[in-house]
Amino acid sequence: MTFFRKIHVILLLSPFWDTKIYSNRLEKEVMAENSRYMDGKLFLKDVREKIRLRLEEIKQSLDEGQKEIENMHEYYWENYTEMDQYGYEDYDNQQALLNQVNANQDRLALKHRFERMADSPFFGRVDFVFDGEDEAEPFYIGIGNFAEKTGMTPLIYDWRAPVSGLFYDYDKGPASYEAPAGEIEGEILSKWQYKIRGGKMVYAFESDTKIDDEILKQELGNNGDVKLKNIVRTIQKEQNAIIRNTKDKILVIQGAAGSGKTSIALHRIAYLLYHDRQNLKSSNVLVLSPNSVFADYISHILPELGEENIREMSFDLFAYKELKDTAADCEDRYDHLERIMKFPDEQEKERFRLKQSEDFVGLIEGFLATLEDRLVDFREVSFRGAKMTEEELIRMFYFKFQETPLLARMDAVMEYFVDAYETLKGRNISDEDRVLLQEKFDSMYVTKDIYTIYNWLLEDYGYDLLPDVPYERRKVQYEDVFPMLYLKYRLQGHGAKKNIKHLVIDEMQDYSFLQYVLLNQIFQCRMTILGDYAQTLDTKQQDVLRFLPKIFGKEIRKVVLNKSYRNTYEIARYAGKISGITGLELLERHGKDVEEKTFSSEEEMLDEIKDNLSLGENGYETGAVITMTEEEAYDIYRLLVKRGVDAAYVDRDSSAFKRGLTVTTFYLAKGLEFDQVFTIRGKKGNPLKNQAEYICATRALQELYVYGCEDRQNKRTGESEGRYPG
């Protein structure tokens, strides 16, 4: 029974209703109202007016709430000296204030959501007939729920609501959705897609199949937004299954470039936040992102979907902070990449892989098994009439506290001694005496310096040692950062980040076995892991799914996305030839052919870039010149600016993604997309040349230019050899 038929029945049963006089009129009015709900344009007009009225009510309520807060503050300052001595009145006042502030925050969040909805209240509609009913009920779908009044049946349903699954998962015909009361079955009579901008209907499109490719092409063919788009209007059935997956603890998404895997992961987080508000908040979610620019690029997605933004961090930066007490500085992945591109060294590449491998974890564990005897020199401890013999120390160290990490074990022994001393003396030990006692127990360690102990490890297994220098001069190479962090955790222990209940790992192919071992130790929670093995930042591709079950157990669900949506057909075919990947399904959105050119001089190449740039009022929103190395990027940026080109230079310290032209490296461009891309080919000896060109190609939404320069290649080779002696 539809909403309007329910009203009809209620009115007909009313004792004040004269059916002989009014039934025909009522029938006409209900039918007219129902007709307005089945007409997208009329419904848009009605619902925008209702949103406007709700916003006015909320604004009034906010003003009243703010006045109430001000009154509470005023009352407190006028009366706090006269409040009861036990503080009950003060406590009640503070609680009332807190409740009012929280209520205002909720109203403010609602106001922001409705303001966003006023511009585009809905994007889809499903006309659904429930089993046993005769008439279809329209369900309008938008970025959030909207009802005329709180507690009333929604006029617009959140895209994450159970009923909204009908829009994404079914064509015309039999359909069902899972509601709190159980499975609801029925039939879809029609599906509509809408585009509304500035409160005006741009188009209304009835689709009797899936979310129509023509609509998808139109959306993707528009000039790119400055940042990553939300995809609620165009979520595909296979994407929706991932987004609404609540069962799997570890969900791994292997997706081709442009398959929407990052968007899907963020929409999944929005869905989980919506469906599990009691247990999951935005503060409980962490994204491991490759860099700050990428973090900025995706930062608007969750707020657009009605959720607070979530935290993000680079795992490299996390490791650096964890090792801050061990070394003054650490390299990051980008330092490593720059070095292997400028000074290719097969031995270094092989050493790096080995130090991140399962085998090296085994070597560390073997080293730890023999470390106890060489790390500790036991001596009797005497303190103000109390003592612990060498034999007692050994027994405590090796047996009573054997499960305690090695460098934390003596602290446990000391605490045992302190407890015994305080019990014997009947008083607590002073802070000064505790410091003296700590020194006695710590002195039994040969060293507690992780850097020194790590050098013992390297020496034992025949590796080159780290420089023996004071703390302030220590800079740990990237190949040693995570092995050293693993050793530190095994020796000192670590606290699991229990506040994090869901971890998103992007660019999964760039994390090593050892890094995943560490992540599993630090974040014992549900995870969404995503990436594309073709976009590896190593000279060899790795399939992390080979070893993930060893680390996380068998609770892993793998999903493969083989359809690419980002690039035009021409660009996607070109990228496929570089990677050698076959079997991808390409969206047939056609555009300009890829342009490949080799220039004899740098000046010619730069002039060509300037001539082909089409950005601004009558052009595209975003463009990029993408190079191999940081040095090349800065050089080209400087020369383009000299030619009057408005450009932004993005390096590893950048934190914002902007419209216009960006000049950066391929490894910083990974995960981003641009309307126009100009790839500057690297020299033939670059071990990452193939991966880099694939990554560059797959960044382009509309146009791709691939340029080489004989003059630049020769010049850069000579300069690099002179500037970076190694």
Side-chain angles (χ1 to χ4, degrees):
M1 184 181 293
T2 68
F3 172 74
F4 300 104
R5 291 185 65 212
K6 289 174 184 174
I7 291 177
H8 192 183
V9 171
I10 291 169
L11 290 175
L12 288 174
L13 292 174
S14 169
F16 303 103
W17 192 258
D18 188 337
T19 58
K20 293 180 181 179
I21 300 174
Y22 298 109
S23 61
N24 290 335
R25 185 186 300 172
L26 174 65
E27 189 74 31
K28 289 179 182 178
E29 289 176 358
V30 171
M31 289 177 64
E33 188 69 16
N34 200 10
S35 174
R36 290 183 72 83
Y37 272 63
M38 301 297 281
D39 185 314
K41 285 187 178 180
L42 293 176
F43 180 74
L44 174 62
K45 183 180 178 182
D46 288 350
V47 83
R48 288 195 75 230
E49 176 62 17
K50 288 178 169 63
I51 291 173
R52 186 188 68 79
L53 293 172
R54 282 293 308 273
L55 279 169
E56 286 182 0
E57 290 174 6
I58 292 169
K59 288 174 184 176
Q60 184 178 347
S61 185
L62 274 168
D63 290 341
E64 291 171 356
Q66 188 58 40
K67 286 179 182 176
E68 185 64 24
I69 290 170
E70 291 170 3
N71 290 338
M72 286 181 180
H73 279 297
E74 188 177 342
Y75 175 83
Y76 177 81
W77 289 112
E78 287 179 354
N79 298 279
Y80 77 96
T81 57
E82 300 175 9
M83 291 181 181
D84 66 272
Q85 60 178 322
Y86 302 107
Y88 295 129
E89 189 177 354
D90 182 29
Y91 175 80
D92 290 343
N93 191 71
Q94 293 299 321
Q95 287 298 112
L97 179 61
L98 180 63
N99 291 337
Q100 187 61 58
V101 169
N102 289 338
N104 256 26
Q105 288 296 322
D106 291 340
R107 293 187 191 108
L108 192 62
L110 201 61
K111 175 175 172 285
H112 289 159
R113 172 152 62 88
F114 290 159
E115 284 173 342
R116 286 194 299 271
M117 291 184 71
D119 182 69
S120 180
F122 55 89
F123 56 81
R125 188 185 98 208
V126 177
D127 297 335
F128 187 70
V129 181
F130 293 95
D131 274 358
E133 301 294 332
D134 301 321
E135 296 179 30
E137 186 163 351
F139 291 101
Y140 284 87
I141 300 159
I143 62 168
N145 287 312
F146 175 74
E148 200 166 349
K149 298 286 184 183
T150 302
M152 291 180 66
T153 301
L155 297 172
I156 299 169
Y157 288 85
D158 192 293
W159 66 276
R160 298 165 290 185
V163 73
S164 300
L166 295 171
F167 180 73
Y168 297 115
D169 292 338
Y170 291 96
D171 305 332
K172 279 185 180 180
S176 65
Y177 65 94
E178 198 66 36
E183 190 174 22
I184 307 297
E185 296 182 336
E187 182 181 0
I188 295 174
L189 294 191
S190 63
K191 283 172 57 177
W192 287 80
Q193 297 172 66
Y194 302 97
K195 185 167 185 176
I196 301 167
R197 182 176 291 167
K200 296 185 178 179
M201 187 78 71
V202 178
Y203 63 67
F205 187 95
E206 186 177 6
S207 175
D208 56 0
T209 58
K210 63 181 181 178
I211 302 203
D212 197 85
D213 274 357
E214 291 304 316
I215 299 294
L216 189 55
K217 289 177 197 176
Q218 184 172 343
E219 287 296 301
L220 295 169
N222 291 333
N223 293 353
D225 294 333
V226 177
K227 296 184 179 181
L228 187 67
K229 299 175 182 176
N230 79 63
I231 59 171
V232 290
R233 293 163 41 84
T234 57
I235 292 171
Q236 306 294 288
K237 184 176 180 177
E238 68 275 13
Q239 296 173 333
N240 194 46
I242 300 169
I243 291 168
R244 294 174 183 257
N245 181 315
T246 60
K247 296 179 181 178
D248 295 301
K249 184 179 179 183
I250 310 290
L251 181 63
V252 180
I253 307 168
Q254 165 60 44
S259 58
K261 49 189 178 292
T262 300
S263 291
I264 292 167
L266 292 172
H267 284 66
R268 183 177 189 230
I269 294 302
Y271 181 83
L272 295 174
L273 288 169
Y274 178 85
H275 275 265
D276 194 15
R277 294 211 182 276
Q278 289 188 331
N279 300 308
L280 188 67
K281 297 178 173 59
S282 58
S283 59
N284 301 137
V285 182
L286 175 66
V287 175
L288 285 186
S289 60
N291 53 68
S292 297
V293 173
F294 178 79
D296 180 62
Y297 179 66
I298 66 173
S299 62
H300 66 297
I301 291 288
L302 284 170
E304 276 186 10
L305 299 175
E307 301 294 340
E308 292 180 26
N309 218 339
I310 55 181
R311 290 183 287 172
E312 66 79 28
M313 76 170 187
S314 154
F315 198 33
D316 287 355
L317 182 59
F318 174 83
Y320 166 71
K321 289 180 177 178
E322 290 291 281
L323 292 173
K324 195 67 178 172
D325 58 352
T326 302
D329 199 4
C330 295
E331 286 187 348
D332 59 22
R333 183 66 181 250
Y334 305 140
D335 291 311
H336 173 73
L337 292 173
E338 289 283 336
R339 186 166 53 251
I340 65 173
M341 285 191 288
K342 291 168 182 168
F343 312 102
D345 184 333
E346 288 300 323
Q347 288 185 334
E348 181 180 356
K349 286 189 288 182
E350 191 54 39
R351 190 173 64 244
F352 173 80
R353 288 196 196 99
L354 181 57
K355 287 184 177 180
Q356 314 305 310
S357 69
E358 183 177 5
D359 289 342
F360 202 76
V361 173
L363 291 181
I364 296 174
E365 291 300 323
F367 169 76
L368 288 168
T370 63
L371 184 60
E372 290 179 341
D373 294 336
R374 73 194 275 192
L375 189 60
V376 186
D377 181 16
F378 295 101
R379 297 184 300 276
E380 182 181 279
V381 175
S382 299
F383 183 79
R384 302 196 188 282
K387 71 176 181 178
M388 182 175 284
T389 65
E390 185 176 331
E391 290 76 16
E392 288 174 315
L393 278 165
I394 291 171
R395 188 171 65 252
M396 291 283 177
F397 195 87
Y398 285 113
F399 298 102
K400 186 174 181 61
F401 298 109
Q402 60 178 328
E403 300 301 321
T404 304
L406 194 54
L407 288 181
R409 201 176 298 175
M410 199 61 80
D411 288 344
V413 177
M414 189 193 85
E415 290 302 324
Y416 184 90
F417 180 89
V418 169
D419 286 345
Y421 177 86
E422 290 180 340
T423 302
L424 180 67
K425 300 294 184 181
R427 64 176 184 274
N428 292 337
I429 192 171
S430 68
D431 291 343
E432 292 82 2
D433 282 347
R434 179 177 281 275
V435 171
L436 291 171
L437 201 56
Q438 185 77 58
E439 290 174 357
K440 284 178 178 286
F441 278 93
D442 280 349
S443 69
M444 283 184 271
Y445 285 114
V446 176
T447 182
K448 293 182 75 174
D449 181 21
I450 300 296
Y451 188 92
T452 300
I453 299 170
Y454 185 72
N455 255 344
W456 292 356
L457 166 74
L458 296 179
E459 186 176 30
D460 283 1
Y461 294 114
Y463 288 92
D464 292 339
L465 301 185
L466 306 187
D468 184 13
V469 294
Y471 168 85
E472 60 275 6
R473 290 174 55 196
R474 293 175 179 175
K475 184 173 183 177
V476 182
Q477 282 199 352
Y478 191 65
E479 67 182 52
D480 295 304
V481 169
F482 291 97
M484 189 178 290
L485 182 60
Y486 182 80
L487 182 66
K488 178 183 177 180
Y489 282 173
R490 290 287 284 111
L491 289 171
Q492 295 183 356
H494 65 89
K497 306 295 182 182
K498 293 182 179 180
N499 184 51
I500 302 302
K501 298 179 180 180
H502 200 106
L503 181 70
V504 180
I505 302 174
D506 204 352
E507 306 294 352
M508 68 181 183
Q509 71 282 350
D510 294 332
Y511 291 81
S512 67
F513 180 94
L514 175 58
Q515 287 173 316
Y516 278 112
V517 169
L518 284 164
L519 288 169
N520 187 45
Q521 292 176 355
I522 301 164
F523 304 102
Q524 297 169 4
C525 61
R526 305 175 76 88
M527 297 184 187
T528 303
I529 305 173
L530 57 141
D532 174 16
Y533 61 81
Q535 296 185 60
T536 182
L537 291 179
D538 199 351
T539 53
K540 293 182 181 178
Q541 292 182 358
Q542 71 162 350
D543 183 4
V544 299
L545 282 162
R546 256 188 333 98
F547 55 72
L548 284 185
K550 290 183 184 179
I551 299 169
F552 295 109
K554 296 181 179 179
E555 300 176 322
I556 293 180
R557 170 79 182 279
K558 176 187 175 182
V559 180
V560 178
L561 299 174
N562 279 324
K563 187 168 184 178
S564 177
Y565 299 96
R566 176 188 295 142
N567 318 114
T568 63
Y569 188 82
E570 291 75 15
I571 294 171
R573 288 289 299 272
Y574 178 86
K577 289 178 183 177
I578 298 173
S579 67
I581 297 173
T582 58
L584 293 182
E585 186 183 350
L586 305 179
L587 183 71
E588 288 210 29
R589 179 175 66 87
H590 291 277
K592 185 177 178 180
D593 287 336
V594 177
E595 186 176 301
E596 294 183 277
K597 280 188 179 181
T598 299
F599 301 90
S600 57
S601 72
E602 186 175 78
E603 286 73 21
E604 288 178 346
M605 183 182 73
L606 292 169
D607 288 341
E608 189 81 0
I609 292 173
K610 185 177 179 181
D611 290 344
N612 282 321
L613 271 175
S614 179
L615 302 175
E617 189 173 341
N618 299 314
Y620 297 118
E621 289 284 339
T622 58
V625 177
I626 307 178
T627 70
M628 301 298 105
T629 68
E630 195 171 48
E631 181 189 8
E632 290 168 341
Y634 183 74
D635 209 22
I636 285 179
Y637 161 73
R638 181 177 54 81
L639 292 169
L640 284 171
V641 171
K642 281 182 75 173
R643 280 169 163 75
V645 177
D646 187 14
Y649 172 63
V650 169
D651 63 11
R652 70 187 74 182
D653 297 320
S654 301
S655 58
F657 183 82
K658 301 175 181 177
R659 63 168 40 88
L661 182 66
T662 296
V663 184
T664 190
T665 58
F666 76 94
Y667 53 79
L668 289 172
K670 201 153 66 117
L672 310 179
E673 58 187 34
F674 308 87
D675 293 308
Q676 284 185 302
V677 168
F678 300 85
T679 299
I680 311 302
R681 279 180 164 146
K683 58 186 181 182
K684 292 180 180 178
N686 185 342
L688 294 173
K689 182 176 182 295
N690 199 63
Q691 294 94 315
E693 289 187 7
Y694 174 74
I695 291 168
C696 291
T698 54
R699 300 309 96 202
L701 283 163
Q702 320 293 351
E703 296 180 12
L704 174 64
Y705 304 83
V706 183
Y707 292 162
C709 179
E710 297 171 0
D711 177 31
R712 164 166 282 275
Q713 189 176 99
N714 295 333
K715 183 173 71 171
R716 296 302 347 139
T717 301
E719 287 186 6
S720 293
E721 288 173 353
R723 190 178 298 178
Y724 298 94

